[in-house]
Amino acid sequence: MVLAMGCSPSGGGGRSGGGTREEERVAAIRAEPAVRRSLELRRTFSGALEAADKVVVAPKVGGRIERLTVDLADPVSRNQVVALLDAAEFAQDERQAEAELAVAEANRSQAANALEISRRENGRIELLRERGIASDAEHDVARADLMQKESQVQVAEAQIRRAAAVLESARIRHGYTRVTADWSEGDRERRVAERYVDEGQTVSANEPLFLIVQLDPILAVISVVERDYSRLQAGLEARVETDAFPGEVFVGRIERVAPVFRATSRQARVEVALSNPDQRLKPGMFVRVTLVLDGVEDVLAVPSRALARRDGREGIFVVVEPGDRVAWQPARTGLEADGWIEWRGPTPSGPVVTLGQHLIDDGSRVRVVPEDVVVPEAP
């Protein structure tokens, strides 16, 4: 390669006040034309796959595990029995509750019979009282006995309701020894992701037995910073890649965008839903998620490296005809992507300087050099 030397810009467009045009030095630059093209603002985020839904299966009562009906990676249907606990004690409680209910029903029958006898006796005393044979005192005694027997029937009926409730509770607790995997929404079949216990182990109530996950759809979870957050919305298409399947792209859409940022990282959680019917994608896999955050079509664009700064303002240098001088043009830009930036100012009259801006100023003489000539970079 050939090294092209240039000069540092001086005041007055690169010309000294006492010099002549012949003394004016020529800066070597590179330049490219502005073009019309489409731009897409893409961002690629690193993240990981997570199950769309998780269910921790735990018993509602404690006991010894007699049998586990599923194991790691097994499919599980909704309401399927996944574990059986020792039910002997609960079965005994149920039988005892049944016996107590039977006793309560017998007591009610006895109270009902006594009430019937008391009613007949009270009726007989009232008849004798009307004939003047029975006294008022005898009538009061019969009436009090009748009221007592009625109260005893009410107590017996309440005891039946209590015994029935105890029996129902015993049956429910007995049923809890059959531990089922329950969830309300999503697929009817899921997978066992974790098994926490073994057969024969004694567990307490609410102690986890299994973790069951939904794998279709599956979520790609990423974190975004404030700069990109405002451009995100549910439904935005995402392209997901993972090292597990090199060269393969999975297409999904943003499902949820967190309404808050984490205080520690100043990032927000974003969930991308992916269809996973064959369940090849697994929770925990590392992924790269590419999102198109913005885009414009058929706009005038200049290379991003053409932007320079002079006196605190951004702009570009345009090579003007006949091609040996440059003119400073303040920047009016839009979307920047893929090394190009949307140019919203007047259409440049010639190519724009992309390398060597530190050697020139408005009106400087230049020489456009080819790619094989090295242009000195800014110090």
Side-chain angles (χ1 to χ4, degrees):
M1 288 188 179
V2 179
L3 178 64
M5 303 301 294
C7 66
S8 298
S10 59
R15 289 164 285 186
S16 62
T20 64
R21 178 175 290 272
E22 286 72 22
E23 295 172 341
E24 190 176 357
R25 299 184 65 182
V26 178
I29 62 162
R30 289 214 184 96
E32 296 181 29
V35 298
R36 300 199 68 85
R37 57 170 295 162
S38 297
L39 299 178
E40 285 186 340
L41 178 60
R42 294 187 184 89
R43 291 278 191 270
T44 298
F45 305 89
S46 297
L49 296 178
E50 292 186 8
D53 193 19
K54 303 175 184 177
V55 175
V56 176
V57 178
K60 296 181 179 180
V61 295
R64 184 178 61 84
I65 299 176
E66 283 193 343
R67 186 160 64 94
L68 299 175
T69 63
V70 295
D71 207 337
L72 186 67
D74 285 350
V76 178
S77 300
R78 185 183 298 160
N79 301 323
Q80 177 180 338
V81 175
V82 296
L84 297 173
L85 302 181
D86 183 2
E89 183 178 348
F90 298 97
Q92 177 61 29
D93 290 343
E94 185 177 344
R95 288 192 293 269
Q96 182 176 348
E98 290 173 345
E100 291 177 354
L101 177 59
V103 171
E105 290 174 341
N107 289 338
R108 181 189 181 283
S109 178
Q110 183 179 11
N113 292 334
L115 175 61
E116 181 62 26
I117 294 172
S118 180
R119 282 174 177 168
R120 289 199 298 267
E121 179 64 17
N122 184 69
R124 187 178 66 83
I125 294 297
E126 286 184 351
L127 182 60
L128 294 175
R129 182 168 172 264
E130 291 175 358
R131 296 177 179 177
I133 300 175
S135 65
D136 290 342
E138 290 175 322
H139 178 266
D140 291 342
V141 170
R143 183 64 181 170
D145 183 70
L146 175 62
M147 295 175 62
Q148 181 183 9
K149 295 301 189 291
E150 288 177 343
S151 297
Q152 290 175 349
V153 169
Q154 292 176 355
V155 170
E157 289 176 346
Q159 289 174 340
I160 288 177
R161 290 194 295 270
R162 183 180 63 181
V166 171
L167 175 59
E168 182 63 22
S169 178
R171 286 173 175 169
I172 291 174
R173 292 175 61 81
H174 189 191
Y176 286 161
T177 60
R178 296 170 57 86
V179 184
T180 59
D182 302 322
W183 60 87
S184 58
E185 299 179 354
D187 291 348
R188 290 191 56 83
E189 185 176 278
R190 299 186 178 184
R191 292 277 176 175
V192 177
E194 296 282 351
R195 177 173 62 84
Y196 303 115
V197 295
D198 297 315
E199 291 182 355
Q201 183 175 337
T202 299
V203 296
S204 58
N206 300 317
E207 182 176 344
L209 305 182
F210 298 98
L211 175 64
I212 297 176
V213 298
Q214 177 181 344
L215 297 180
D216 184 26
I218 196 169
L219 297 181
V221 179
I222 59 175
S223 297
V224 299
V225 297
E226 297 176 34
R227 177 188 64 177
D228 301 318
Y229 182 83
S230 61
R231 299 177 184 269
L232 299 179
Q233 59 183 352
L236 185 66
E237 184 177 279
R239 298 173 66 83
V240 180
E241 298 176 88
T242 176
D243 292 339
F245 304 104
E248 191 168 354
V249 176
F250 302 87
V251 179
R253 294 190 179 277
I254 292 181
E255 184 80 7
R256 298 178 187 88
V257 179
V260 297
F261 286 79
R262 299 186 186 94
T264 54
S265 63
R266 300 298 178 187
Q267 296 181 332
R269 176 184 172 99
V270 177
E271 297 179 354
V272 176
L274 299 168
S275 178
N276 190 31
D278 50 9
Q279 300 185 3
R280 290 196 301 159
L281 298 175
K282 308 295 184 183
M285 285 183 176
F286 175 82
V287 292
R288 294 173 297 278
V289 180
T290 301
L291 301 172
V292 178
L293 303 182
D294 201 355
V296 289
E297 296 183 359
D298 192 26
V299 295
L300 187 65
V302 299
S304 299
R305 59 182 178 275
L307 288 182
R309 183 172 289 274
R310 292 291 185 274
D311 299 326
R313 299 182 62 190
E314 279 192 331
I316 59 174
F317 287 103
V318 180
V319 181
V320 296
E321 297 297 340
D324 60 350
R325 290 191 183 277
V326 293
W328 172 256
Q329 191 169 334
R332 288 173 54 194
T333 60
L335 182 66
E336 183 176 4
D338 300 328
W340 293 82
I341 188 166
E342 180 185 359
W343 182 257
R344 295 178 177 176
T347 302
S349 58
V352 297
V353 177
T354 57
L355 187 61
Q357 293 98 323
H358 61 290
L359 303 174
I360 60 177
D361 208 335
D362 187 27
S364 295
R365 292 187 63 193
V366 296
R367 178 168 60 90
V368 180
V369 298
E371 292 289 335
D372 59 348
V373 176
V374 178
V375 176
E377 296 185 359

